[in-house]
Amino acid sequence: MMLTRKRFLINSFASGALVSLSTIQNHLYGYTAQDSANHRKDPLAYAESLGFTKPLDQILVTALLAPNSHNSQPWKIRRVSDSEFLLFGDGDKQLQEIDSLNRQLFHTQGAFLELAHLTADKLMFDTKITYFPNGKPSSKTFNRNPVAKFEIFPKSKCVHDFLFAGIPSRRMNRSVYTGPMITEEEMDDLKMLTGPSKHKILFLNDPKKLESILPLLDSAFAMETNRTESNELNRKWFRVSKEDIYKNRDGLTLEGNGLSGIKLWFAKTFFVDLSKEAWHSESSKDAGIQMFKNQVYSSKALVFFITEGSDEERTWIETGRDFMRFTLACAVRNITFHTMNQSVEDYPESRIFTEQLKTILGLKPKEQIQLIARMGRSSYEYDSPRREFESFLV
């Protein structure tokens, strides 16, 4: 039986249940594309609209906008006090088919921590972030060993990091890019805005090098699409209908892949079928490969996040923090980006491409490509949804 607004409230309070305002709103109205847009447009106001007025909760609601692989949102949060939380990886959201070492999962933890730090700064708090307070988590101990302890303190000096201003425009943009190449001046400006990075950020707009690298990125995507286990992972995370997108509030979508208008309607109506047989058919895989080909060859520059020496969890978190800052710098300057990591993932077929890229870029043996993104210009916008805040709490 469908509950009326009045009956839902009566039942909730009569039972003595503690129901948050956000949960009530979700039951009464449902989560929509407008909610997703509002979350990104002004995350602090969005948090307040859900009844979250404490600074730490507002920091956490904002940090959920951090970039993450497959929009899997692999975070768990334990509030310790009004000034401290513990961040855990969500073991149920591991993408072992393509990320066997959890490299990308730790990148995502770093992005969350950096966005939380920038939000705290906006709210006039300094932060202290302690990695692995109980030791490093493994794939089987994410629920026991936190990735980090995060503490906030009132600022002693009025010094701000203004990258927070990029949040409303920060989004992964997988559309086909148009316009001129990204210039050296623009790349220098992005470096300045990103600020001091823990690791090396390499920009590339040289046409000759792009001619040798873009086909590798294209081929790596085709390889991963034709690799059954990774393509099946995409099928499980794919959402097609609006109902599924805003019910699950996670995963991959056609809209997130840059489709809109009549092309989106045709794809949803005639081409996308999530049944195993259809998804893994040659025609379906070829369509995805062609879409990616159009994207990659429209690149106006590439950026590589490169580390040297120790290649382990702390390094991956630091890379994620650098990446978070870079994406906000892009947003401030209206430059789009799209990560393309199929050639640097942790399984043998991908590592063949990794070695070729390292040779082209002239990297040292102990240097490691952590992330790759294309850059360009596009007016396309799509706000990927985020799950209900309470679902992240433990």
Side-chain angles (χ1 to χ4, degrees):
M1 179 180 70
M2 179 65 70
L3 292 177
T4 64
R5 298 179 188 180
K6 181 178 179 181
R7 177 52 54 189
F8 174 78
L9 292 171
I10 290 173
N11 288 353
S12 297
F13 291 114
S15 65
L18 291 175
V19 183
S20 74
L21 179 59
S22 62
T23 302
I24 292 173
Q25 288 178 329
N26 189 53
H27 280 278
L28 296 184
Y29 307 110
Y31 179 89
T32 68
Q34 188 59 54
D35 293 302
S36 184
N38 290 344
H39 189 181
R40 195 171 302 271
K41 180 179 179 181
D42 189 341
L44 299 178
Y46 179 75
E48 286 193 12
S49 76
L50 298 179
F52 299 116
T53 57
K54 294 180 179 179
L56 194 71
D57 287 339
Q58 294 180 350
I59 289 167
L60 290 168
V61 169
T62 303
L64 294 177
L65 293 171
N68 61 97
S69 183
H70 282 58
N71 195 24
S72 57
Q73 305 166 47
W75 309 297
K76 286 294 183 181
I77 301 157
R78 180 178 298 156
R79 291 195 200 93
V80 178
S81 68
D82 286 347
S83 61
E84 180 183 334
F85 72 84
L86 296 174
L87 177 67
F88 297 80
D90 187 342
D92 293 334
K93 301 296 187 297
Q94 297 177 80
L95 308 176
Q96 290 288 301
E97 294 87 345
I98 60 172
D99 190 29
S100 60
L101 301 182
N102 281 314
R103 180 190 304 273
Q104 293 181 30
L105 188 144
F106 280 103
H107 291 162
T108 293
Q109 306 305 312
F112 185 100
L113 290 169
E114 186 62 24
L115 189 50
H117 164 75
L118 291 168
T119 309
D121 177 82
K122 171 70 174 179
L123 293 173
M124 291 298 294
F125 290 94
D126 288 325
T127 67
K128 179 182 178 181
I129 301 174
T130 306
Y131 299 145
F132 314 124
N134 298 339
K136 291 180 182 179
S138 69
S139 60
K140 296 182 180 179
T141 62
F142 277 120
N143 64 325
R144 298 197 298 274
N145 292 356
V147 171
K149 178 171 71 172
F150 187 101
E151 302 169 87
I152 60 173
F153 312 90
K155 272 187 174 293
S156 57
K157 297 180 180 178
C158 189
V159 179
H160 281 292
D161 190 326
F162 293 99
L163 281 176
F164 185 88
I167 290 178
S169 301
R170 195 220 71 81
R171 51 179 64 82
M172 189 85 73
N173 190 319
R174 295 181 175 88
S175 66
V176 172
Y177 298 162
T178 59
M181 300 293 287
I182 304 297
T183 66
E184 294 289 339
E185 291 77 16
E186 287 175 308
M187 291 189 290
D188 288 342
D189 181 53
L190 286 176
K191 289 178 185 177
M192 182 274 294
L193 282 174
T194 299
S197 60
K198 191 70 177 179
H199 299 286
K200 181 179 177 181
I201 302 177
L202 174 64
F203 292 91
L204 183 65
N205 66 348
D206 178 66
K208 288 187 176 180
K209 283 197 173 180
L210 289 177
E211 283 179 10
S212 60
I213 292 176
L214 295 183
L216 285 179
L217 303 184
D218 183 20
S219 296
F221 181 86
M223 172 277 297
E224 189 160 287
T225 301
N226 284 304
R227 182 175 178 261
T228 301
E229 54 265 57
S230 49
N231 198 39
E232 177 64 11
L233 175 70
N234 291 339
R235 186 183 74 87
K236 290 178 179 178
W237 280 98
F238 215 85
R239 318 291 183 228
V240 179
S241 69
K242 279 192 174 182
E243 290 75 16
D244 281 345
I245 292 170
Y246 295 108
K247 175 184 176 183
N248 291 289
R249 298 166 63 168
D250 62 8
L252 305 168
T253 64
L254 288 169
E255 291 89 339
N257 272 284
L259 287 187
S260 62
I262 193 67
K263 289 183 179 179
L264 176 65
W265 181 82
F266 265 103
K268 288 193 175 190
T269 305
F270 299 110
F271 296 108
V272 177
D273 183 340
L274 293 182
S275 67
K276 266 192 175 184
E277 181 179 1
W279 184 266
H280 292 286
S281 68
E282 292 303 314
S283 61
S284 176
K285 291 187 290 186
D286 287 346
I289 291 169
Q290 183 59 53
M291 181 185 297
F292 185 88
K293 186 184 295 288
N294 294 337
Q295 295 167 351
V296 71
Y297 285 108
S298 72
S299 303
K300 306 305 178 184
L302 295 175
V303 60
F304 298 83
F305 289 77
I306 298 169
T307 59
E308 184 174 5
S310 179
D311 185 33
E312 44 81 39
E313 293 86 347
R314 178 183 292 270
T315 303
W316 303 339
I317 291 173
E318 292 169 347
T319 299
R321 296 188 68 175
D322 287 345
F323 180 67
M324 183 73 250
R325 297 182 64 84
F326 161 78
T327 67
L328 289 170
C330 285
V332 169
R333 291 296 187 248
N334 293 316
I335 292 175
T336 55
F337 73 93
H338 168 199
T339 54
M340 296 180 148
N341 295 317
Q342 293 81 10
S343 59
V344 290
E345 292 174 331
D346 290 302
Y347 58 90
E349 301 94 323
S350 178
R351 284 290 145 177
I352 294 172
F353 293 98
T354 307
E355 293 307 312
Q356 295 178 58
L357 286 171
K358 289 180 68 173
T359 298
I360 294 171
L361 295 173
L363 300 186
K364 303 172 187 176
K366 290 189 176 181
E367 287 186 308
Q368 174 65 46
I369 304 171
Q370 298 286 342
L371 292 167
I372 304 172
R374 68 182 178 118
M375 301 163 60
R377 311 172 201 280
S378 172
S379 60
Y380 182 77
E381 293 185 0
Y382 172 71
D383 296 312
S384 295
R386 294 295 189 266
R387 291 193 297 274
E388 185 179 15
F389 176 61
E390 285 89 343
S391 70
F392 297 93
L393 301 180
V394 294

